[in-house]
Amino acid sequence: MGLFSLFKKKDSQKTATPSDKDAAQRKRREEDRRLSAPTESRQHNTQMQREIARATALKIDAIESEMTSDIFDSQPAWQAKRPPKPEDTQRIEISDGRNTLEVEFEDTLPLINSSSTDFLLEARQGIAVAGDTPPLMEEVAILYASEQLALVEQMLQGALHDDSLGSGLRSAWWMLFDLYQITGRMEDFENLSIDYASRFETSPPPWVADLYHTKPSASSSNFSGLMPTVAFAGTLDGSITKQLDKVQSLAEKKQVFRLEFARVANVTPEGCGLLLKALKTLGKSEHDLIMVGAAELAEKIQSIIKIGRRDETEAPWLLLLEILQLLDREKDFEEISMDYCVTFEVSPPAFEPPKKIKVTTAAEEKVHPDISPDRFMMPPVISGSLEKLLADIQAYAAEYNPVLLDCSRLTRVEFSAAGELMGGLAPLAGKGRLIEFQGVNHLVAALFQVIGITNIAKVFPHKY
């Protein structure tokens, strides 16, 4: 008998008996359970994901405990090279009271060398100090550092609607945006953007073409070291020839360098023409060029042009179109193209996505107006032995203070390497050097918070 058949009016229908009422109530309860099943399923999946992450964290703790017990041996067991054995694989059963999940762990986590053991143990103690990071974000940061990407994605997906995270909720979204950006998953990024706009009623982060997936030449793919910078300031006019000569000189000697426009206050048609010519030349080369403050420069250029007014030169219009193209802002590019077409009665240039030039906004970095803009570019991945990287940073720190570490290309720091990095930077901080990590993605920034690097250095995540 259907639920609604109890309420059909028939002349011959009798008053419902107590058993009929009991049956109706049971059906209502079953219907309520059916409707709530998706929510319970999501909560169940989220709980299982967290349990898996905690199990992984326990695995990491076990590795560290083994290293600590072996630290006084002549050849620690965790340093000895040997073929894998069956006991290298561990199985852990996770139960939520209803279902049991068996998780298999292999020894895939990177090992830590003896020079960083003390700092790593201190970093684990630092987790209690770094109370601003929710436990879930700590787990995600450690798993990402260990390259457990699928599990990281599952946990972040489950955390997107977890209001108990408080201020850490947006961090979960930003971490997932970064994960999709780093792995080149544009479609997933755009789907997440729609959910983000609906959830927070604000514009989502833009997809940046080839932000981490540029294909630099073999000589620059793992580049790290001093990043030469040409800074433009004041008025962009005929006087910028001096800076452009330096740009040309750098282009002949360096594969990677930066142009900084954060301190440009005004622009002139003459300055626009000179800069346009330089950018066109660089765009045809194989250089890896980073532009800072380009979006702000575009706004200043737009303020001196007007649709329908033909000035003595088209340079400001063409420079604006060039910068919008470098910013990968195709919609804005098309709108300005139409205005340019109407004003000068010529066909506008076609839009071409940027290839080699990475453009950031000034807000993504902390710009120091009174010091040299040169900074140290960190490599795409920090792993293995950091002896050379730390030596290069120390040489840079001998000449520069603050020690500006550019992380705009840094995608991941291995868990073991993070401890060694902290150990190498601690003496610099002790000598009074101000250390800044700039443009850090949110997954790496969370790891820095977890292990305690934020106690000796300032960390500036990139802006969303």
Side-chain angles (χ1 to χ4, degrees):
M1 179 184 294
L3 177 61
F4 294 102
S5 64
L6 295 171
F7 301 97
K8 288 182 180 178
K9 294 183 179 180
K10 295 182 180 179
D11 294 339
S12 61
Q13 186 176 6
K14 297 179 181 180
T15 304
T17 64
S19 60
D20 293 333
K21 292 180 180 180
D22 292 342
Q25 290 174 355
R26 284 197 299 273
K27 287 184 178 292
R28 290 194 190 97
R29 286 195 294 269
E30 291 173 0
E31 184 70 12
D32 290 342
R33 282 196 298 269
R34 185 184 67 80
L35 293 173
S36 63
T39 300
E40 292 177 356
S41 177
R42 285 194 299 269
Q43 293 173 346
H44 170 64
N45 289 339
T46 300
Q47 181 65 25
M48 293 295 286
Q49 291 161 9
R50 290 185 180 179
E51 292 298 334
I52 293 171
R54 291 191 178 95
T56 302
L58 290 174
K59 173 64 177 174
I60 294 172
D61 290 339
I63 293 173
E64 294 170 9
S65 177
E66 182 181 354
M67 290 189 300
T68 305
S69 64
D70 290 335
I71 194 168
F72 297 105
D73 292 347
S74 58
Q75 185 180 20
W78 51 270
Q79 265 188 349
K81 294 184 179 180
R82 54 178 174 79
K85 298 180 179 180
E87 56 265 30
D88 292 335
T89 300
Q90 298 186 17
R91 292 179 179 271
I92 300 176
E93 288 188 351
I94 302 171
S95 175
D96 64 351
R98 294 186 301 169
N99 300 302
T100 299
L101 177 66
E102 188 176 62
V103 183
E104 181 177 291
F105 292 92
E106 297 180 359
D107 284 340
T108 57
L109 297 179
L111 297 179
I112 303 174
N113 58 46
S114 57
S115 65
S116 63
T117 302
D118 293 338
F119 288 99
L120 181 56
L121 295 175
E122 291 175 8
R124 292 295 294 171
Q125 296 173 359
I127 292 177
V129 178
D132 294 338
T133 306
L136 178 64
M137 299 297 100
E138 294 176 354
E139 295 164 2
V140 167
I142 294 173
L143 288 168
Y144 178 73
S146 303
E147 212 169 2
Q148 305 294 326
L149 303 187
L151 186 53
V152 166
E153 180 182 6
Q154 292 173 12
M155 291 188 65
L156 290 175
Q157 285 282 6
L160 294 185
H161 302 286
D162 186 354
D163 293 331
S164 65
L165 291 176
S167 59
L169 178 60
R170 289 214 184 200
S171 293
W173 288 80
W174 294 336
M175 284 180 173
L176 193 53
F177 276 123
D178 279 341
L179 180 65
Y180 289 152
Q181 185 81 71
I182 289 168
T183 52
R185 295 165 58 180
M186 181 176 181
E187 184 176 351
D188 292 324
F189 186 99
E190 292 177 343
N191 291 335
L192 184 64
S193 297
I194 296 173
D195 294 339
Y196 181 88
S198 175
R199 177 71 170 79
F200 297 103
E201 298 182 353
T202 186
S203 298
W207 171 267
V208 181
D210 295 327
L211 176 59
Y212 296 104
H213 270 259
T214 54
K215 296 180 179 179
S217 61
S219 61
S220 66
S221 58
N222 294 313
F223 170 82
S224 64
L226 180 65
M227 172 65 68
T229 300
V230 179
F232 296 80
T235 301
L236 198 74
D237 55 17
S239 64
I240 67 171
T241 53
K242 196 178 287 188
Q243 285 100 321
L244 294 179
D245 287 342
K246 184 177 180 181
V247 170
Q248 183 177 356
S249 177
L250 286 174
E252 295 172 355
K253 303 174 184 177
K254 301 288 184 179
Q255 182 67 35
V256 187
F257 57 93
R258 300 166 72 251
L259 302 182
E260 185 180 290
F261 301 97
R263 288 173 278 174
V264 172
N266 304 290
V267 299
T268 67
E270 182 184 7
C272 289
L274 292 171
L275 181 58
L276 174 65
K277 183 178 179 181
L279 290 180
K280 286 287 189 183
T281 301
L282 290 172
K284 298 175 183 177
S285 68
E286 290 298 318
H287 290 85
D288 296 322
L289 179 63
I290 296 176
M291 292 179 62
V292 181
E296 292 78 3
L297 178 61
E299 292 176 2
K300 293 178 175 64
I301 298 171
Q302 196 160 3
S303 69
I304 70 167
I305 62 176
K306 184 177 180 180
I307 182 173
R309 187 187 70 201
R310 294 192 182 187
D311 299 317
E312 65 273 17
T313 175
E314 304 172 19
W317 288 86
L318 295 176
L319 178 60
L320 177 58
L321 290 172
E322 182 73 14
I323 292 175
L324 291 175
Q325 190 166 247
L326 294 174
L327 289 167
D328 201 23
R329 287 163 49 178
E330 186 172 2
K331 183 178 179 181
D332 293 334
F333 179 93
E334 296 297 340
E335 291 178 357
I336 297 297
S337 292
M338 293 302 297
D339 294 341
Y340 170 79
C341 181
V342 169
T343 301
F344 293 96
E345 298 179 355
V346 295
S347 298
F351 180 84
E352 295 180 6
K355 297 178 180 178
K356 301 292 293 183
I357 300 180
K358 177 185 175 183
V359 183
T360 65
T361 64
E364 292 180 13
E365 298 188 0
K366 182 174 176 60
V367 177
H368 294 270
D370 301 324
I371 65 172
S372 170
D374 293 348
R375 61 191 60 210
F376 190 95
M377 174 64 74
M378 300 296 276
V381 176
I382 297 179
S383 62
S385 173
L386 305 189
E387 183 177 356
K388 183 180 186 306
L389 177 64
L390 289 173
D392 291 342
I393 292 176
Q394 289 165 1
Y396 170 77
E399 298 183 29
Y400 296 87
N401 190 27
V403 180
L404 305 179
L405 304 178
D406 190 322
C407 300
S408 58
R409 293 190 312 145
L410 176 63
T411 59
R412 188 173 62 87
V413 181
E414 284 189 355
F415 187 72
S416 58
E420 187 176 353
L421 179 64
M422 180 178 174
L425 295 179
L428 295 178
K431 294 177 182 178
R433 284 289 190 268
L434 175 62
I435 304 170
E436 295 185 3
F437 291 88
Q438 299 195 356
V440 188
N441 74 60
H442 292 269
L443 291 156
V444 172
L447 179 67
F448 285 171
Q449 178 75 14
V450 166
I451 71 169
I453 281 185
T454 50
N455 294 327
I456 63 170
K458 293 183 178 180
V459 177
F460 296 95
H462 70 80
K463 300 293 184 179
Y464 267 143

